[in-house]
Amino acid sequence: MQGLPAPLPGRLAGIALPAPVPLPAARPPRAPAPEGDKRVVDLTQVLDRFGLRDGQVISFHHHYRNGERVIEPVLRAAQSRGLRGLTLAASSLFPCHAELIPFIEDGTVTHIVTDYMRGPLADAVQAGRLAGKAVLQSHGARARAIGSGALMVDIAFVAAPLAHPCGDATGRGGRLACGPLGYPAVDAAHARATVVLADEIATDPLPLVDIPGHHVDAVLAFRDPGAPEGISSGSTLPLDTPAARSIGALTAQVIAAAGLMRNGMSLQSGAGGYSLGAVPIIGKAMADAGLRGGFLSGGITGAHVALLEAGLFDEILDVQCFDAAAVASSMRNPMHRMMTAAEYASPLHPAAVVERLDVMLLGAVEVDHAFNVNVAASADGRILGGPGGHPDTAQGAKLSIVTTTLQGGGHPKIVPQVRCVTTEGCDVDVIVTDQGFAVNPRRQDLRDALHGLSAQMLAVEDLARMAAEGLPHLPHGMSRAGHIIVEHRLGHRLDII
């Protein structure tokens, strides 16, 4: 639109970067499952048919988030057979999974690979009660690992509200609808066997299919595989406070000054109240400028749906719904489309959505002088999350913006050194706070473009000094003999907790 600045050249302009890490080749999807009625009677029949053995890998998804109800009964069935040394590969784990602690204590589960972990189970793992390794991956890293065979899933268990006897399954239907099943779609495509545990089994064709029947080996009627009321909680709830509105307004200014608030703009907001709270403010700025964006992506809320329905964006690309409004939209609006975790963020995908993002809004527990971001460990060192899609989108987007207050929970959020690196500072462009903003020194183009905004541009060290004012000093002397490995999205170790 006339009067708006041209887009900036991006963070890679004029910067010498290290040689890329060699990536493995993507494996083709599994061989198609036999056709026909795939219904089974119970979990005993499932474990008999697919021969789960000691030391194998079982996977689960987190579309019901803190309402997930499938992992515990599967592990209980494995425990009753005396199975030991299993790897639990769940895409995320929540406070509701405190019930899994006995399975790590008795050795039923020895290793955990997940994208996010918080609550009593995470505390138990951090306390050393897991005998083997715990690995935190990003969403893209998980899709890469499964798609390349670095993480070989023996049985993928897919909780679904609605399925067909042929194996077709969806999260976009039934009384417990949770939205598109973007994460387990990757597991089902590559696992040795895939089992759908469905609240309802319909004999009529499904209106929408997330997991195709040729990737499914068995369908089990399973009452209440998840509670939709557990989907919206904590980091998936947008904030509407004076600080959040201030951060949202400044974020919109930054996007416009960078030349990216334009027709066709693509936008994602990660989990975190400030990043999600900025979405409607950006939408209003677009409406005022007469602009129409291209796509919204990621975990989707009602705020994203409102922008789509207002005609401010062409489509939504949805890997997971964060609230009931998003779930409803995914079922009725053909421009609200599902994407798999591989299509979303895998480094092996030839056109991953994260690589097509113009703007990414990131949350943070801590950001440091080098612009490294921690979204996994609290100020006292307790694990409270994991990478999720944070490093995938930060690396892929043209403009990655961390949105945060200077202080939170009685601790500074801008610090000299983060307790755990989950996203590297080379992939973060701007920190927007309630007291001003800082631009990564690697982005001189942005520094030049953002002079003259309503808020003050500060050095990140100045933001850190302001953040520390009036707060007690917490030493950063954490032991490096951590129990939890943070994996880089390309597969090497990034940090430990």
Side-chain angles (χ1 to χ4, degrees):
M1 188 167 185
Q2 191 173 10
L4 290 177
L8 296 171
R11 72 165 64 86
L12 301 184
I15 296 173
L17 296 175
V21 176
L23 285 173
R27 292 185 303 146
R30 51 163 288 173
E35 297 181 0
D37 191 327
K38 300 175 183 177
R39 284 175 286 189
V40 293
V41 176
D42 55 24
L43 284 171
T44 296
Q45 186 179 358
V46 168
L47 299 188
D48 284 341
R49 178 175 297 184
F50 302 115
L52 186 65
R53 300 189 303 275
D54 290 350
Q56 290 193 328
V57 179
I58 51 177
S59 75
F60 303 86
H61 70 82
H62 71 289
H63 287 269
Y64 285 109
R65 297 179 68 84
N66 202 36
E68 196 281 331
R69 292 176 176 169
V70 163
I71 301 177
E72 192 275 339
V74 171
L75 289 180
R76 191 174 352 107
Q79 182 191 55
S80 70
R81 293 179 166 230
L83 293 176
R84 300 181 62 79
L86 299 175
T87 294
L88 171 61
S91 53
S92 287
L93 296 162
F94 294 88
C96 67
H97 294 117
E99 61 190 4
L100 306 186
I101 293 174
F103 300 111
I104 71 172
E105 292 180 328
D106 72 1
T108 304
V109 171
T110 299
H111 307 292
I112 293 177
V113 181
T114 188
D115 306 3
Y116 177 102
M117 180 166 52
R118 73 179 300 164
L121 177 63
D123 294 339
V125 171
Q126 194 169 13
R129 291 155 73 180
L130 180 74
K133 293 181 180 179
V135 180
L136 290 176
Q137 299 177 315
S138 72
H139 292 322
R142 184 176 194 273
R144 168 197 51 76
I146 293 173
S148 67
L151 179 63
M152 296 288 293
V153 176
D154 290 290
I155 306 180
F157 293 92
V158 179
L162 185 62
H164 187 274
C166 76
D168 288 345
T170 187
R172 294 175 286 175
R175 70 184 185 94
L176 301 179
C178 59
L181 299 176
Y183 291 110
V186 177
D187 304 46
H190 294 282
R192 181 172 62 85
T194 301
V195 180
V196 170
L197 297 89
D199 181 65
E200 300 174 51
I201 299 177
T203 54
D204 292 332
L206 304 186
L208 297 163
V209 175
D210 300 341
I211 310 289
H214 61 267
H215 287 165
V216 175
D217 301 278
V219 178
L220 173 63
F222 191 96
R223 190 71 171 171
D224 297 330
E229 58 268 25
I231 295 173
S232 297
S233 62
S235 63
T236 66
L237 298 174
L239 285 175
D240 184 16
T241 64
R245 290 191 289 273
S246 173
I247 289 170
L250 179 54
T251 299
Q253 292 181 38
V254 168
I255 296 169
L260 292 172
M261 189 169 288
R262 54 181 176 171
N263 285 319
M265 178 181 77
S266 54
L267 171 69
Q268 181 170 330
S269 54
Y274 294 106
S275 58
L276 292 171
V279 170
I281 297 171
I282 294 169
K284 183 178 185 305
M286 293 179 65
D288 291 345
L291 299 172
R292 182 183 177 98
F295 68 82
L296 295 158
S297 67
I300 301 301
T301 70
H304 301 93
V305 170
L307 298 189
L308 178 68
E309 294 181 345
L312 293 172
F313 281 85
D314 292 335
E315 61 181 341
I316 287 174
L317 303 178
D318 188 347
V319 71
Q320 177 185 33
C321 289
F322 280 167
D323 61 25
V327 173
S329 171
S330 74
M331 296 167 64
R332 70 170 184 266
N333 192 334
M335 301 311 293
H336 186 150
R337 310 181 193 277
M338 171 185 158
M339 59 179 170
T340 71
E343 292 167 335
Y344 168 43
S346 174
L348 301 183
H349 195 280
V353 168
V354 296
E355 303 292 341
R356 296 157 47 198
L357 279 173
D358 288 320
V359 179
M360 177 63 197
L361 309 183
L362 302 161
V365 176
E366 296 176 319
V367 194
D368 69 19
H369 289 182
F371 284 71
N372 297 311
V373 183
N374 162 30
V375 291
S378 65
D380 62 4
R382 182 187 184 195
I383 185 171
L384 47 66
H390 203 284
D392 303 308
T393 51
Q395 188 172 80
K398 294 183 177 70
L399 176 64
S400 59
I401 304 172
V402 170
T403 55
T404 182
T405 50
L406 288 183
Q407 300 177 342
H411 303 287
K413 301 195 72 176
I414 317 296
V415 297
Q417 182 180 1
V418 295
R419 289 187 175 269
C420 169
V421 177
T422 45
T423 296
E424 295 176 292
C426 59
D427 294 326
V428 175
D429 299 314
V430 185
I431 305 167
V432 172
T433 80
D434 51 333
Q435 301 296 321
F437 68 98
V439 179
N440 194 320
R442 297 171 69 107
R443 292 298 306 268
Q444 185 59 46
D445 56 336
L446 271 177
R447 293 174 65 85
D448 295 341
L450 301 187
H451 276 295
L453 295 188
S454 62
Q456 186 177 13
M457 183 190 299
L458 298 165
V460 66
E461 294 83 359
D462 293 329
L463 286 178
R465 281 192 290 271
M466 295 164 62
E469 289 178 3
L471 295 178
H473 174 69
L474 282 179
H476 251 48
M478 289 181 65
S479 166
R480 303 310 289 169
H483 296 291
I484 302 166
I485 298 168
V486 179
E487 185 180 273
H488 190 279
R489 69 186 298 256
L490 300 182
H492 56 277
R493 192 177 81 171
L494 180 61
D495 208 338
I496 56 176
I497 301 175

